[in-house]
Amino acid sequence: MIPVLGYEGQTVAVLGLGRSGLATARALIAGGATPLCWDDSVEARERAQAEGFACADLSRDASWEGVAALITSPGIPHLYPEPNRHIAKAWEMGVPVDNDIGLFFRSYAAQGWGEFDTPPRVIAVTGSNGKSTTSALIHHILKVAGRPTQLAGNIGRGVLDIAPAQDGEVVVLELSSYQTDLARALTPDIAVFTNLSPDHLDRHGGMGGYFAAKRRLFSEGGPERAVIGVDEPEGRSLANQMGEGPADDRVIRVSAERKLGGAGWSVCVRKGFLSEMRKGRQVAAIDLRAVRGLPGAHNHQNACCAYAATRALGIAPRLIEEAFASFEGLPHRSQIVAEIGGVTYVNDSKATNVDSAEKALLAFDNIRWIAGGLGKEGGIEALKGALGHVRKAYLIGFSARDFALQIGDLPYEICETMEAAVARAAEEAEAGDTVLLAPAAASFDQYPNFEKRGEAFMAAVARLGE
């Protein structure tokens, strides 16, 4: 646990009592503060009270007496599409609003660090797609290199739940736009921006607000090094803002689409080969084509970002290449779950939007595509250009019939359920085909989250061999 600093002897309100909220309450107590908890869910309040935390209705003015700050869970909207009523009350009462990420950055460094030979470091990763894989890959590289490391944030453990730092440790944080948007302190040593595509636009008031939330990771704390994907205009703009000139190697530019030149530091991939460029010269290269845990161009971009971040720590290319070869990937993200009769079954349940689904569709050949769920604004018409490798679509969930109208002349079958879709795809698949779950939709019509949807796919595949 990371004890929260700066609130000793004070009362701090905690809004939202899920995983991060309860971890925040515990960390506040460890730092000498008194948490005052609230959640609109009766069940959540009962869990907090069972743990000994005091709860008070934050809609009442009297509850705010003596409150030094409000710490809100990242999932609670604070501004768009409309302010949460409790956060609006904090504004009215003049109480500063923060989240657990802000508390982490103000509390992680401790007095004992003066005795360390190598100061601990923090790598923070954000972006629309690939941030989970990039974070996990960085963590894996560090372990292979023998560096003490912890993985937290939007993946793994909550940021305040991790153990206090040890000599030379590197903490890797995956941070969503919900987490970066409100944190009052954001001071990573290395910040990584993978890419940007439309997502969560209602929460951020549009694309500009969404990018602004991501950009805060770089603008608020001024990281020592910035690894920035430059395949979108926003990334190129951010890299330009962070650099002081063409040769400024504090910015490492990353591309999965083209060769990057110039006098600076860059990492790019072309035709499956990763190249590190310094001062206009190639200084290292890795063949990614046979790396089973990183299939497709989108994972090659993740590899570039992880490579750049760990090279910024001084890890040798040889060790990074060794780590790539042993990386197994993450569950529900281009996860190869079985090979039956020459047919490969791939679980990419995390592909909940058009952009991530497109990347999955371009990563494999001879695809029998399972898609559908609770469709997002705009549907999947933007995917028409990525369907060249798809032999047939098997559509499930609430938006199945809408998706059928948006895929042009592609053969399809409306299967409704995951079990039916897997069975029909397996029945029609031939050796060399890939049965790919890449829903391009949210899961909430049939499953509580994308993980449960992916587990349902894997269970259906497992039954094929029975």
Side-chain angles (χ1 to χ4, degrees), residues 5 11 13 26 37 49 52 59 68 151 167 198 213-214 265 273 292 308 311 344 350 368 383 436 438 450:
L5 303 180
T11 298
R26 298 182 196 110
C37 301
Q49 289 169 330
S59 64
L151 179 64
D167 196 345
K214 302 285 189 185
W265 192 353
F273 285 87
R292 184 178 174 88
R311 285 290 288 137
T344 302
K350 184 61 169 65
R368 295 191 177 274
L383 284 176
L436 170 66
F450 73 84

Side-chain angles (χ1 to χ4, degrees), residues 213-457:
K214 302 285 189 185
R215 184 182 177 277
R216 291 189 76 246
L217 183 62
F218 298 81
S219 61
E220 292 298 308
E224 186 179 302
R225 279 238 160 73
V227 176
I228 301 175
V230 295
D231 288 335
E232 294 89 28
E234 292 87 354
R236 293 191 287 275
S237 171
L238 180 59
N240 181 269
Q241 292 169 9
M242 296 300 295
E244 295 295 333
D248 187 351
D249 68 0
R250 293 174 301 174
V251 178
I252 307 176
R253 291 170 171 81
V254 167
S255 176
E257 295 182 354
R258 65 189 190 282
K259 181 178 179 180
L260 298 174
W265 192 353
S266 64
V267 180
C268 58
V269 62
R270 295 184 70 199
K271 297 182 179 179
F273 285 87
L274 180 152
S275 298
E276 178 187 359
M277 307 293 293
R278 303 285 298 266
K279 299 179 180 178
R281 295 176 57 250
Q282 180 175 294
V283 298
I286 297 175
D287 184 354
L288 299 176
R289 294 174 299 176
V291 179
R292 184 178 174 88
L294 296 167
H298 62 303
N299 275 311
H300 292 175
Q301 182 187 54
N302 299 334
C304 286
C305 289
Y307 178 97
T310 49
R311 285 290 288 137
L313 291 175
I315 295 176
R318 173 185 57 81
L319 285 174
I320 299 174
E321 184 173 13
E322 179 184 334
F324 282 174
S326 60
F327 182 66
E328 296 182 353
L330 287 178
H332 316 298
R333 297 162 176 87
S334 295
Q335 176 190 12
I336 297 174
V337 299
E339 292 182 3
I340 303 172
V343 178
T344 302
Y345 293 82
V346 179
N347 167 23
D348 204 331
S349 182
K350 184 61 169 65
T352 59
N353 58 36
V354 165
D355 188 68
S356 54
E358 179 181 33
K359 289 176 169 60
L361 289 167
L362 294 175
F364 302 96
D365 295 319
N366 303 320
I367 297 170
R368 295 191 177 274
W369 177 34
I370 299 176
L374 189 61
K376 297 189 175 181
E377 184 176 353
I380 60 169
E381 288 194 17
L383 284 176
K384 285 183 179 179
L387 301 180
H389 296 171
V390 179
R391 301 186 68 179
K392 183 175 177 179
Y394 303 82
L395 303 176
I396 64 173
F398 180 83
S399 296
R401 287 166 177 78
D402 290 337
F403 280 19
L405 298 174
Q406 297 170 350
I407 56 177
D409 297 329
L410 181 72
Y412 71 88
E413 184 172 334
I414 294 178
C415 298
E416 302 288 0
T417 68
M418 182 71 72
E419 292 75 12
V422 170
R424 287 293 296 143
E427 182 180 336
E428 297 184 344
E430 303 171 356
D433 285 357
T434 296
V435 176
L436 170 66
L437 170 65
S443 62
F444 306 125
D445 58 330
Q446 294 178 311
Y447 304 97
N449 50 52
F450 73 84
E451 292 95 341
K452 292 298 183 184
R453 177 171 59 191
E455 290 169 7
F457 172 79

Side-chain angles (χ1 to χ4, degrees), residues 108 116-123 136-151 165-172 189-190 224 309-316 319-320 323:
Y108 181 55
F116 291 159
D117 292 329
T118 304
R121 312 290 291 277
V122 176
I123 299 176
L137 183 55
I138 292 170
H139 181 59
H140 179 71
I141 294 167
L142 291 166
K143 290 194 291 184
V144 169
R147 296 287 294 270
T149 179
Q150 297 186 76
L151 179 64
Q166 57 179 298
D167 196 345
E169 185 169 54
V170 182
V171 171
V172 184
D189 298 285
I190 299 171
E224 186 179 302
T310 49
R311 285 290 288 137
L313 291 175
I315 295 176
L319 285 174
I320 299 174

Side-chain angles (χ1 to χ4, degrees), residues 42-65:
V42 174
E43 292 80 7
R45 295 199 301 271
E46 289 175 346
R47 286 195 299 270
Q49 289 169 330
E51 199 169 326
F53 297 125
C55 292
D57 187 348
L58 296 179
S59 64
R60 299 175 180 174
D61 289 358
S63 299
W64 292 91
E65 185 175 347

